[in-house]
Amino acid sequence: MSDVAASPAEQAACPPVGVERRASVRIAVRIPAAVSMGAKPDGQRHAATIKDISDTGVGLFAECRFPVETVLYIRGTESTEPPFVAEVVHNRADGDGWFHGCKILWKGDPRNHS
């Protein structure tokens, strides 16, 4: 083990474990959702659960795996919140399905975003 302390730049690059680095606060939720691939609600819908959400991202659990860079149209099935479109940034196996970390591209009706 070294007695040399990390420089301020090294400390900023690698914050301690458990320190949140996101620009906006995540809120843990459990919202049933319908997800389709693409920016519009066309095509096959997949059942999913929104596990966490922030102003800029969403954590999504689904039985199927959506590849990184896939654009998803996401609508809560028991919610009055507007739908949103997000891009898969990462995914990982999680129990009987897949957890997807997604960047929100826009919220609301996709017909307003040509």
Side-chain angles (χ1 to χ4, degrees):
M1 186 177 221
S2 173
D3 292 341
V4 178
S7 72
E10 291 170 323
Q11 290 175 6
C14 296
V17 173
V19 172
E20 186 64 57
R21 292 185 285 179
R22 288 174 176 78
S24 57
V25 176
R26 263 188 310 186
I27 300 169
V29 296
R30 188 174 183 84
I31 301 171
V35 177
S36 55
M37 294 172 67
K40 300 195 181 206
D42 306 329
Q44 182 180 3
R45 292 190 180 139
H46 303 272
T49 302
I50 299 170
K51 304 291 274 184
D52 61 65
I53 193 163
S54 72
D55 287 338
T56 59
V58 62
L60 186 74
F61 176 84
E63 289 182 5
C64 60
R65 178 184 163 272
F66 299 111
V68 171
E69 297 184 356
T70 300
V71 173
L72 303 174
Y73 177 87
I74 304 168
R75 176 184 281 286
T77 57
E78 299 175 4
S79 171
T80 58
E81 293 295 318
F84 56 94
V85 174
E87 178 182 5
V88 178
V89 178
H90 64 86
N91 57 41
R92 63 176 161 76
D94 185 3
D96 293 337
W98 293 84
F99 180 83
H100 303 83
C102 305
K103 172 177 65 173
I104 294 175
L105 302 176
W106 68 72
K107 296 179 183 177
D109 190 329
R111 292 172 290 201
N112 297 335
H113 301 275
S114 297

